């Protein structure tokens, strides 16, 4: 038996170029960039693969031949066209489907395409055709040529009809003489098939009531509702029908942790527990449609993706792969029909990730490319685990990413995540964190109560705890770090709920936090309920009360807008003017209240950003400003590292340009001049 | 599929007659520099409109019937302040270049104008969303942007800013304006 994996470093993707840069300080433009490779998928035979990615910010989709190592372009966008690709899937061994979306086009055009491949004399040729039908693929039926199950919106009234059809019908938008499947469920927009590729599953989301209902098609061709629930409170994820007729589901409806159970769809009852982890929620399970079994389960183990296989051979192979890749995290993103060839995505907290083609028979792994090409040229620090038991008895997990000894400025940035309910930090490469760490800061991220992945009780204990027990959990970890590491200064920085939390932490601990960065935050809790009249419906009020707490007047006590005078450290507020999730009004109120109390406050507003940035240049601008803000307020020197001067000049120019161009930041002539001068002074030094 | 409801031809004549009768009792929104002083039972109504659609008119009903007309509105929100009788009002309907939009009856479109005060009621936002190749819908909502209203009044009506009470009187409760003005006046 082969007991080792051989990794072949062969670069296949033609649009990856290896730079010969030495270890330099990484620029914000390089770090905050689109993926060079993503969404790698192989055809049913495992002989061809597709991937898409960005080269110089322009989208490329390519097709590769594993055996002959050929790569050909399927699609290249023009410069600054701002096109995204998604929903790429193989239809059979020689054709695949994908969709494009043009963000710049005022009509925001969506298009779908089918590519047909011929292989003549080891040369691949393509024929790309536009899909004129409008709808969605339910089941590509990959093992059958030119056949798929498709939901098409047809006729003048665009009614949804389900067909077993062929590629030509999609291209011509003509479903006459195609097999219309009668199994449509009213109001359903999603369908799933069973192991025999018959439509068997559906679900409906009632937006008004915030209820998800799951349905299955019985032997009499009648849709039966087998479960409905509020997804804010419970998890219920159908996986597939087992050989005994029970449905495998991942759920926490009768347990604290989300676990793998049998579910009886006829009696609508939860059955046998199949697998539960001691500490963490399960996030997924892999179903084997050939023998109707569950192949594996997945969960986040101390923030890292982890899979366990039920079959010993599968588990041994997984461990072999883990050992070969030096214990990095591994996700299987695509496989061929008989599951012998796989695409593995291998990543860690200090590497954005790499794609490999893995032959499980020969145990050979072929390197296809890196998600971000810069990762070949820089060494990033890993996240370290910190787990502390709180005074109340619960475990709190946190991750610390430390600047190197050579570059540290001895500043710790405490970075609460958003949410706060049902969101979490992971041990994955985070470009924003790594930017800040490269600039000399260390970053602390805490999975406080309310975070996802630690069971219902942990998640629910964060509800209604804005500015209260959530910040207590964060402070428990911060106290530990303060005692055990030698940081000289602390700042709080966060986005969304994290922006709120950053402000509250500094207000509660004014002696500790020397600066605050509050991004896209909420600062007036009652405003969450009525920032617009469409949110005043009882169902939405209930939804928000489930997160924020009862809107009975007490929320004002935890709204920093109403006690701005308590903030004694300088603060930077950034916001997207189109933000409707954490309404832009929150940030403007906070700024006005702080100015009224003569607190040292700066603000940068981004006119075309919403709850976060859709455009890279805006994200780059904001990060560069954040670094500059912290340096000024804490009187830190320039960042340490090779090329630091050139990096700074580039960022000052970016900042100046951003305040000039209204599509980046709000026009601020005084800041434009300031940063232009800083750039000129450095150039002339 | 549009969310618009085009006026049925059967009712259009009746509506036109009614509108003709009402025209005489409409008051148009007045430019900032032409604000009339308040009478005993009057207040100022302040709101803004933000849309890329072409607005033909916005109808407000209540103590008095108001008709707001704006053509070729830009992307920037337009503030409008008008003197009207104190009392209860509501947005009744909106007409764009493509027809009448029926407001969602499950959403609160009501507001109050207080006597001897500036009553800010929100920003009327009409946004187009394209959610498929052939479908789009319009989202209409009244957004509370009190902080921006304060800044607008302070810049454009400094005398009123310092002399009149300013309140948020749109849908939902919000104490921010009063809180801010109380500290401001301390």
């Amino acid at each position: 038996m082969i007991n080792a994996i051989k990794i072949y470093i062969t670069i296949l993707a033609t649009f990856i170029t290896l730079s010969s840069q030495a270890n330099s300080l990484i620029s914000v433009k390089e770090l905050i960039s689109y993926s060079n490779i993503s969404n790698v998928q192989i055809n049913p035979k495992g002989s061809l693969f597709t991937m898409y990615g960005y080269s110089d910010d322009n989208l490329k989709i390519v097709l590769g031949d594993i055996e002959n190592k050929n790569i050909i372009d399927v699609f290249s966008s023009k410069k600054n066209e701002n096109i995204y690709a998604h929903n790429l899937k193989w239809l059979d061994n020689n054709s695949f489907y994908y969709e494009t979306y043009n963000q710049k086009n005022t009509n925001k055009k969506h298009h779908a395409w089918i590519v047909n491949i011929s292989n003549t004399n080891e040369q691949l040729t393509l024929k790309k055709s536009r899909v004129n039908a409008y709808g969605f693929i339910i089941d590509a039926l990959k093992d059958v040529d030119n056949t798929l199950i498709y939901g098409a919106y047809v006729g003048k009234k665009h009614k949804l009809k389900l067909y077993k059809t062929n590629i030509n019908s999609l291209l011509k938008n003509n479903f006459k003489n195609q097999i219309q499947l009668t199994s449509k469920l009213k109001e359903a927009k999603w369908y799933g098939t069973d192991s025999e590729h018959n439509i068997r599953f559906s679900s409906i989301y009632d937006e008004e009531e915030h209820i998800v209902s799951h349905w299955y098609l019985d032997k009499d061709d009648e849709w039966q509702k087998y479960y409905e629930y509020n997804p804010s409170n419970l998890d219920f994820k159908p996986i597939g029908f087992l050989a005994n007729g029970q449905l495998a589901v991942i759920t926490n409806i009768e347990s604290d942790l989300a676990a793998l159970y049998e579910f009886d769809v006829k009696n609508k009852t939860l059955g046998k527990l199949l697998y539960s982890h001691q500490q963490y929620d399960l996030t997924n399970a892999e179903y084997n449609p050939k023998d109707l079994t569950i192949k594996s389960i997945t969960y986040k183990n101390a923030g890292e993706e982890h899979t366990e296989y039920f079959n010993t051979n599968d588990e041994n192979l997984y461990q072999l792969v883990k050992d070969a890749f030096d214990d990095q995290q591994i996700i299987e993103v695509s496989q061929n029909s008989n599951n012998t060839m796989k695409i593995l995505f291998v990543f860690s907290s200090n590497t954005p990730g790499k794609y490999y083609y893995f032959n499980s028979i020969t145990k050979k792994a072929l390197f296809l490319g890196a998600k971000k090409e810069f990762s070949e040229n820089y060494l990033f620090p890993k996240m370290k685990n910190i787990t502390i038991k709180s005074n109340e008895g619960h475990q709190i997990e946190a991750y610390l990413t430390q600047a190197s000894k050579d570059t540290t400025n001895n500043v710790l940035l405490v970075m609460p995540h958003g949410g706060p309910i049902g969101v979490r930090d992971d041990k994955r490469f985070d470009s924003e964190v790594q930017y800040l760490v490269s600039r000399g800061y260390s970053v602390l991220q805490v999975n406080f109560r309310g975070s996802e992945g630690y069971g219902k009780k942990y998640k629910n204990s964060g509800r209604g705890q804005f500015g209260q027990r959530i910040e207590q959990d964060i402070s428990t970890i911060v106290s530990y770090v303060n005692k055990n590491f030698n940081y000289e200064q602390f700042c709080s920085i966060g986005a969304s709920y994290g922006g709120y939390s950053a402000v509250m932490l500094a207000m509660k601990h004014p002696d500790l936090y020397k600066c605050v960065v509050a991004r896209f935050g909420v600062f007036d809790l009652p405003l969450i309920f009525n920032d617009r009249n469409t949110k005043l419906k009882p169902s939405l009020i209930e939804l928000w009360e489930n997160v924020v707490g009862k809107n009975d007047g007490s929320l004002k006590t935890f709204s920093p807008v109403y006690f701005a005078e308590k903030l004694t450290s300088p603060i930077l507020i950034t916001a997207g003017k189109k933000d409707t999730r954490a309404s832009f009004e929150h940030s403007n109120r906070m700024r006005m209240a702080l100015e009224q109390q003569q607190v040292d406050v700066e603000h940068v507003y981004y006119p075309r950003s919403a709850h976060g940035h859709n455009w890279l240049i805006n994200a780059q601008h904001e990060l560069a400003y954040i670094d500059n803000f912290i340096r000024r307020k804490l009187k830190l020197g320039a960042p340490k590292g090779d090329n630091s001067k050139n990096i700074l000049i580039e960022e000052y120019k970016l900042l100046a340009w951003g305040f000039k161009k209204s599509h980046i930041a709000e026009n601020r002539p005084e800041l434009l001049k300031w940063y232009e001068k800083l750039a000129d002074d450095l150039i002339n030094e | 599929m549009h969310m618009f409801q085009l006026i049925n031809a059967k009712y259009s004549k009746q509506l036109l007659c009614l509108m003709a009768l009402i025209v005489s009792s409409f008051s148009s929104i007045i430019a900032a520099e032409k604000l009339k002083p308040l009478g005993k039972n009057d207040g100022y109504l302040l709101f803004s409109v933000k849309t890329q659609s072409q607005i033909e008119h916005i109808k407000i009903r209540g103590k008095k019937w108001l008709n707001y007309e704006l053509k070729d509105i830009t992307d920037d929100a337009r503030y409008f302040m008008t003197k009207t009788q104190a009392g209860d009002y509501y947005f009744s309907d909106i007409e764009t270049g493509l027809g009448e939009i029926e407001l969602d009856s499950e959403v609160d479109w009501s507001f109050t104008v207080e006597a001897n005060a500036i009553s800010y009621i929100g920003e009327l936002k009409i946004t187009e969303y394209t959610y498929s190749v052939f479908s789009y819908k319009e989202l209409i909502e009244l957004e509370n942007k009190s902080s921006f209203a304060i800044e607008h009044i302070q810049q454009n009506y400094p005398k009123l800013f310092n002399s009149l009470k300013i309140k948020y009187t749109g849908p939902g409760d919000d104490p921010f304006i009063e809180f801010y003005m109380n500290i401001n006046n301390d």
Side-chain angles (χ1 to χ4, degrees):
Chain A
M1 180 185 166
I2 297 171
N3 56 8
I5 308 280
K6 293 178 188 177
I7 302 172
Y8 289 80
I9 312 296
T10 305
I11 314 302
L12 282 195
T14 55
F15 53 81
I16 293 174
T17 53
L18 284 183
S19 171
S20 58
Q21 274 179 323
N23 253 354
S24 304
L25 200 63
I26 187 168
S27 75
V28 71
K29 282 189 177 178
E30 206 174 357
L31 191 49
I32 309 302
S33 56
Y34 293 121
S35 296
N36 297 107
I37 292 176
S38 63
N39 203 327
V40 183
Q41 297 201 30
I42 48 175
N43 69 348
K45 206 171 150 187
S47 57
L48 302 172
F49 68 90
T50 50
M51 59 169 83
Y52 48 77
Y54 290 81
S55 179
D56 295 327
D57 293 349
N58 299 319
L59 174 69
K60 282 188 98 150
I61 303 175
V62 301
L63 172 74
D65 180 336
I66 294 289
E67 197 179 318
N68 301 313
K69 312 272 188 299
N70 295 327
I71 296 278
I72 57 174
D73 282 359
V74 175
F75 171 83
S76 289
S77 70
K78 293 173 198 161
K79 199 169 170 60
N80 298 325
E81 218 177 352
N82 289 109
I83 292 186
Y84 297 114
H86 55 104
N87 236 351
L88 191 153
K89 49 187 87 188
W90 283 90
L91 302 179
D92 54 44
N93 273 316
N94 299 305
S95 49
F96 63 89
Y97 166 100
Y98 68 93
E99 295 172 8
T100 54
Y101 166 78
N102 189 332
Q103 185 169 260
K104 243 186 175 177
N105 187 304
T106 51
N107 290 327
K108 294 186 181 171
K109 282 206 177 126
H110 298 259
H111 288 305
W113 311 85
I114 291 180
V115 177
N116 194 264
I117 305 150
S118 323
N119 196 340
T120 318
N121 299 326
E122 295 180 5
Q123 287 295 315
L124 295 175
T125 52
L126 309 178
K127 185 184 173 192
K128 191 170 79 177
S129 309
R130 181 150 154 209
V131 170
N132 286 298
Y134 179 67
F136 51 95
I137 296 173
I138 296 170
D139 191 330
L141 298 176
K142 285 194 284 189
D143 295 324
V144 183
D145 280 355
N146 196 23
T147 308
L148 62 153
I149 296 177
Y150 188 78
Y153 291 99
V154 296
K156 283 182 187 172
K157 292 186 180 177
H158 304 118
K159 277 193 168 174
L160 177 64
K161 292 188 179 177
L162 311 180
Y163 293 99
K164 190 169 187 177
T165 185
N166 56 44
I167 287 171
N168 206 40
S169 297
L170 266 68
L171 297 179
K172 299 207 162 146
N173 191 22
N174 185 342
F175 295 91
K176 280 181 194 169
N177 306 319
Q178 298 304 300
I179 302 168
Q180 189 181 340
L181 304 171
T182 55
S183 28
K184 200 181 88 170
L185 176 64
K186 198 181 168 190
E187 291 175 9
K189 295 202 170 47
W190 176 86
Y191 293 88
T193 51
D194 60 20
S195 56
E196 290 167 17
H197 301 287
N198 296 315
I199 290 181
R200 187 65 60 206
F201 301 102
S202 187
S203 59
I204 297 173
Y205 174 54
D206 183 335
E207 211 172 310
E208 282 288 322
E209 299 299 318
H210 199 55
I211 296 281
V212 171
S213 56
H214 288 297
W215 302 71
Y216 79 101
L217 195 66
D218 65 17
K219 286 176 188 169
D220 300 320
D221 240 28
E222 301 274 343
W223 282 104
Q224 306 292 343
K225 181 168 35 174
Y226 63 88
Y227 196 69
E228 70 176 20
Y229 66 107
N230 182 333
S232 298
N233 298 333
L234 294 171
D235 299 323
F236 191 95
K237 184 175 187 175
I239 305 296
F241 278 110
L242 303 171
N244 61 3
Q246 301 291 290
L247 179 67
V249 301
I250 291 179
T251 186
N252 57 5
I253 58 176
E254 289 183 13
S255 55
D256 180 43
L257 292 166
L260 184 68
Y261 286 88
E262 288 181 353
F263 189 90
D264 186 325
V265 294
K266 284 180 192 153
N267 297 322
K268 301 175 189 176
T269 52
L270 196 66
K272 197 168 88 176
L273 172 68
L274 298 173
Y275 184 93
S276 179
H277 192 273
Q278 278 184 336
Q279 203 177 339
Y280 302 115
D281 291 322
L282 298 189
T283 54
N284 209 351
E286 191 185 348
Y287 176 67
N288 187 339
K290 290 185 176 152
D291 60 9
L292 309 184
T293 58
I294 301 298
K295 204 174 153 186
S296 65
I297 48 88
T298 306
Y299 54 89
K300 298 236 169 102
N301 184 9
E304 293 191 346
E305 199 80 19
H306 189 81
T307 302
E308 283 183 24
Y309 289 86
F310 294 114
N311 176 287
T312 311
N313 289 338
D314 290 338
E315 180 65 26
N316 288 342
L317 183 62
Y318 177 70
Q319 286 305 322
L320 254 178
V321 174
K322 286 275 281 179
D323 293 341
F325 287 111
D326 196 25
D327 274 328
Q328 292 189 72
Q329 299 170 61
I330 297 167
I331 295 178
E332 207 176 281
V333 297
S334 181
Q335 55 273 128
N336 67 346
S337 295
N338 59 13
N339 209 15
T340 50
M341 314 294 164
K342 303 161 195 283
I343 300 292
L344 304 179
F345 178 58
V346 181
F347 62 100
S348 66
S349 62
N350 68 336
T351 54
K354 294 179 181 178
Y355 289 92
Y356 292 85
Y357 175 90
F358 178 59
N359 184 325
S360 64
I361 299 168
T362 62
K363 307 287 189 297
K364 286 181 185 172
L366 182 67
F367 174 57
L368 295 178
K371 184 176 173 181
K372 297 272 181 110
E373 62 185 47
F374 65 68
S375 62
E376 306 292 291
N377 304 320
Y378 299 93
L379 271 175
F380 296 99
K382 288 185 179 182
M383 285 179 174
K384 287 181 185 156
N385 277 81
I386 295 176
T387 306
I388 301 290
K389 200 171 184 179
S390 75
N391 290 339
E392 291 169 64
H394 61 273
Q395 297 270 66
I396 310 168
E397 268 185 15
Y399 314 117
L400 177 64
T401 315
Q402 291 182 280
S404 71
K405 284 178 189 165
D406 297 333
T407 60
T408 186
N409 51 30
N410 297 308
V411 174
L412 180 72
L413 302 181
V414 178
M415 188 184 275
H417 63 66
I421 307 300
V423 175
R424 63 168 293 152
D425 285 314
D426 290 319
K427 279 177 77 180
R428 288 188 85 135
F429 188 90
D430 184 321
S431 293
E432 287 178 351
V433 167
Q434 292 293 355
Y435 170 81
L436 293 165
V437 170
S438 76
R439 298 307 189 258
Y441 310 101
S442 295
V443 176
L444 178 67
Q445 296 164 284
V446 181
N447 280 333
F448 45 75
R449 70 187 89 185
S451 302
E452 185 70 22
Y454 304 95
K456 251 175 10 202
K457 191 176 163 196
Y458 195 76
K459 182 154 57 172
N460 291 339
S461 63
R463 297 184 190 279
Q465 294 300 320
F466 279 52
Q468 302 170 69
R469 293 198 172 114
I470 290 175
E471 280 65 35
Q472 267 176 35
D473 281 357
I474 298 169
S475 298
T476 298
I477 300 287
V478 171
S479 296
Y480 171 84
V481 171
N482 203 4
K483 279 181 199 150
N484 292 280
F485 295 81
N486 297 322
Y487 293 107
E488 291 168 7
Q489 299 188 88
F490 290 65
C491 286
S492 55
I493 172 172
S496 192
Y497 177 84
Y500 165 87
S501 186
V503 172
M504 294 302 284
L505 284 168
M507 284 181 166
K508 285 170 179 290
H509 306 280
D511 294 336
L512 183 62
Y513 293 96
K514 301 303 174 197
C515 74
V516 180
V517 179
R519 312 167 59 204
F520 307 94
V522 291
F523 307 107
D524 185 342
L525 300 188
L527 183 66
I528 291 174
F529 294 87
N530 63 4
D531 61 2
R532 57 205 71 235
N533 63 341
T534 46
K535 279 170 84 172
L536 291 169
K537 296 179 183 178
S539 60
L540 284 174
I541 290 173
E542 193 184 325
L543 195 79
W544 283 110
E545 284 188 339
N546 199 22
V547 174
V548 185
K550 205 88 182 132
N551 188 22
D552 57 4
S554 62
L555 292 181
K556 221 173 131 185
T557 324
F558 303 102
S559 300
V561 158
Y562 299 103
F563 43 87
E565 71 282 0
K566 285 193 177 173
L567 188 66
T568 54
S569 28
I571 176 171
L572 166 64
I573 295 174
T574 63
K577 287 176 109 171
K578 293 184 175 181
D579 196 346
T580 53
R581 185 174 282 266
S583 169
F584 177 40
E585 172 69 9
H586 281 274
S587 290
N588 205 51
R589 286 190 184 194
M590 192 72 238
R591 175 191 63 80
M592 281 174 66
L594 289 165
E595 283 176 354
Q596 198 178 45
Q597 298 295 339
Q598 296 173 320
V599 176
D600 179 359
V601 54
E602 293 184 18
H603 72 279
V604 182
Y605 294 159
Y606 293 91
R608 61 175 185 175
S609 298
H611 197 59
H613 301 293
N614 293 329
W615 306 87
L616 286 179
I617 190 82
N618 296 17
Q620 293 160 2
H621 185 276
E622 190 205 4
L623 266 183
Y625 193 94
I626 288 170
D627 177 45
N628 181 257
F629 168 80
I630 298 174
R631 272 178 208 292
R632 283 187 280 112
K633 295 304 170 184
L634 300 192
K635 297 183 179 20
L636 304 173
K640 297 167 197 166
D642 296 349
N643 212 30
S644 166
K645 182 177 169 182
N646 286 343
I647 290 285
L648 265 184
I649 291 170
E650 188 186 281
E651 289 186 5
Y652 288 151
K653 285 183 173 177
L654 166 65
L655 287 168
W657 193 62
F659 289 119
K660 187 177 177 180
K661 296 286 175 184
S662 59
H663 68 279
I664 301 176
E666 206 172 46
N667 282 359
R668 302 275 291 278
E670 76 283 8
L671 291 178
L672 158 62
K673 279 184 192 163
W674 166 253
Y675 285 106
E676 275 181 339
K677 185 174 184 310
L678 283 178
D680 288 341
D681 288 349
L682 254 191
I683 290 167
N684 297 327
E685 236 177 45
Chain B
M1 252 181 310
H2 287 222
M3 290 290 284
F4 300 159
Q5 299 234 342
L6 294 174
I7 298 173
N8 188 301
K10 182 182 169 184
Y11 296 106
S12 60
K13 273 188 190 172
Q14 292 162 319
L15 198 62
L16 279 169
C17 290
L18 186 60
M19 282 173 69
L21 280 173
I22 290 163
V23 158
S24 58
S25 65
F26 280 4
S27 64
S28 298
I29 307 300
I30 302 160
E33 59 271 19
K34 294 179 186 171
L35 267 187
K36 292 177 184 173
L38 295 177
K40 191 179 159 190
N41 293 315
D42 294 336
Y44 290 119
L45 164 63
L46 173 68
F47 69 96
S48 58
V49 178
K50 183 166 182 167
T51 182
Q52 286 183 315
S53 302
Q54 183 184 319
I55 299 292
E56 296 295 333
H57 64 245
I58 295 170
K59 285 184 190 161
I60 295 170
R61 292 188 181 179
K63 193 78 180 175
K64 203 172 177 183
W65 284 20
L66 305 171
N67 183 34
Y68 164 64
E69 294 177 2
L70 181 69
K71 297 194 189 298
D72 301 325
I73 194 167
T74 66
D75 196 36
D76 296 316
R78 291 279 303 267
Y79 278 96
F80 289 88
M81 184 119 97
T82 187
K83 181 190 96 164
T84 188
Q85 283 183 33
D88 295 330
Y89 293 83
Y90 62 97
F91 285 95
S92 65
D93 51 8
I94 297 164
E95 185 176 352
T96 70
L98 287 169
E100 289 269 343
I101 306 172
E102 190 175 311
L103 298 175
D104 186 348
S105 57
E106 289 182 21
V107 172
D108 186 1
W109 296 102
S110 66
F111 57 89
T112 306
V113 175
E114 290 201 358
N116 296 303
I118 300 174
S119 296
Y120 170 68
I121 63 160
E123 178 168 278
L124 190 66
K125 263 177 75 172
I126 304 169
T127 318
E128 259 183 31
Y129 286 99
T130 304
Y131 63 91
S132 73
V133 172
F134 46 71
S135 298
Y136 74 95
K137 70 178 191 181
E138 285 209 347
L139 176 65
I140 303 155
E141 52 190 7
L142 201 50
E143 189 177 350
N144 181 346
K145 296 179 78 171
S146 292
S147 66
F148 295 96
I150 292 172
E151 289 179 318
H152 175 77
I153 299 167
Q154 193 171 21
Q155 280 162 27
N156 294 280
Y157 307 94
K159 284 186 186 168
L160 293 181
F161 182 81
N162 291 318
S163 59
L164 275 187
K165 194 168 60 172
I166 306 172
K167 282 193 80 173
Y168 171 76
T169 56
D173 297 321
D174 181 20
F176 177 72
I177 293 182
E178 282 173 281
F179 165 81
Y180 184 86
M181 296 307 296
N182 283 343
I183 295 181
N184 208 58
N185 295 334
D186 280 349

